[in-house]
Amino acid sequence: DAGVTQSPTHLIKTRGQHVTLRCSPISGHKSVSWYQQVLGQGPQFIFQYYEKEERGRGNFPDRFSARQFPNYSSELNVNALLLGDSALYLCASSLVVLTGELFFGEGSRLTVL
Amino acid sequence: DQQVKQNSPSLSVQEGRISILNCDYTNSMFDYFLWYKKYPAEGPTFLISISSIKDKNEDGRFTVFLNKSAKHLSLHIVPSQPGDSAVYFCAAAPGTASKLTFGTGTRLQVTL
């Protein structure tokens, strides 16, 4: 069975640009969460979606937004990119919304120049 | 404010010996704790969890201990194997929520 898939795996953007990251959860998983991992740090929670509704939001500016589609895939959008947005963006899925047992994808590595 | 702390960035252990990874937390609302393992170029993988109603949880070679009064948990790996070499993240949440707060990770190297 396919795990959590994310695209693109690597991308380079310049300051001020916009980026869209995509995530397909494990089949049957209805919850998708997004985490940002800056080099040398642990993953930091950005959003959780369940059944297409936002169920949690971390301490990130409004430049960060996300959505979940009817097929449970998800997009993370970041506007007006800053150098500090350079990070590994991890998507995780789970069967239910209230669980810490998340299945992570390999991540999308974003570099902002 | 680092609510989950892993003060040892790295640990080296010989194959067959015990590996002990430590984690401290400051938020009293945390009552659900997990350990994740991460290999290079892969996403974190769930390893083991414990809720605050327990002080110990075992799964094969992995045991997690929770000391609520000290706000401290530890992961014991016995015996350690070379395949255990990875970065280990401690994570915590209020209740069984999915909004996890992670520590900065400890890189474990198991040597032959």
Side-chain angles (χ1 to χ4, degrees), chain B residues 4-73:
Chain B
V4 177
K5 301 178 186 179
Q6 293 178 256
N7 292 319
S8 298
S10 63
L11 174 68
S12 183
V13 171
Q14 274 190 320
E15 182 181 11
R17 309 291 277 260
I18 183 171
S19 295
I20 300 176
L21 296 93
N22 294 302
C23 178
D24 297 295
Y25 62 97
T26 57
N27 190 335
S28 299
M29 298 300 293
F30 291 151
D31 58 3
Y32 179 49
F33 305 91
L34 308 95
W35 286 93
Y36 277 80
K37 178 170 72 172
K38 186 178 187 303
Y39 294 117
E42 294 183 13
T45 302
F46 169 74
L47 201 53
I48 192 169
S49 65
I50 188 168
S51 73
S52 59
I53 62 172
K54 292 185 168 185
D55 54 18
K56 177 183 172 181
N57 190 26
E58 277 183 88
D59 185 0
R61 297 186 297 114
F62 302 90
T63 303
V64 56
F65 296 91
L66 175 62
N67 182 333
K68 291 184 289 293
S69 60
K71 292 190 173 69
H72 176 84
L73 64 155

Side-chain angles (χ1 to χ4, degrees), chain A residues 23 31-35 45 47-49 90-94 102, chain B residues 98:
Chain A
C23 172
S31 176
V32 169
S33 300
W34 287 93
Y35 285 78
F45 174 76
F47 286 110
Q48 182 190 25
Y49 277 78
L90 294 162
C91 174
S93 74
S94 60
L102 305 178
Chain B
S98 297

Side-chain angles (χ1 to χ4, degrees), chain A residues 33 35 37 40-43 45 48 57 88 90 94 97-102 104-106, chain B residues 2 32 34 36 38 41-46 49 89 96-104:
Chain A
S33 300
Y35 285 78
Q37 186 179 11
Q41 301 294 316
F45 174 76
Q48 182 190 25
R57 172 185 284 255
L88 180 67
L90 294 162
S94 60
V97 62
L98 292 180
T99 178
E101 296 181 31
L102 305 178
F104 283 88
E106 295 180 4
Chain B
Q2 195 74 24
Y32 179 49
L34 308 95
Y36 277 80
K38 186 178 187 303
E42 294 183 13
T45 302
F46 169 74
S49 65
F89 290 100
T96 53
S98 297
K99 181 182 175 181
L100 302 180
T101 299
F102 283 86
T104 53

Side-chain angles (χ1 to χ4, degrees), chain A residues 57-104:
Chain A
R57 172 185 284 255
N59 189 22
F60 280 81
D62 291 343
R63 299 184 295 108
F64 288 75
S65 64
R67 55 180 175 167
Q68 187 177 33
F69 298 100
N71 65 354
Y72 304 110
S73 67
S74 177
E75 278 184 359
L76 176 69
N77 295 283
V78 187
N79 291 324
L81 285 167
L82 303 174
L83 296 179
D85 295 331
S86 296
L88 180 67
Y89 288 86
L90 294 162
C91 174
S93 74
S94 60
L95 267 171
V96 296
V97 62
L98 292 180
T99 178
E101 296 181 31
L102 305 178
F103 295 81
F104 283 88

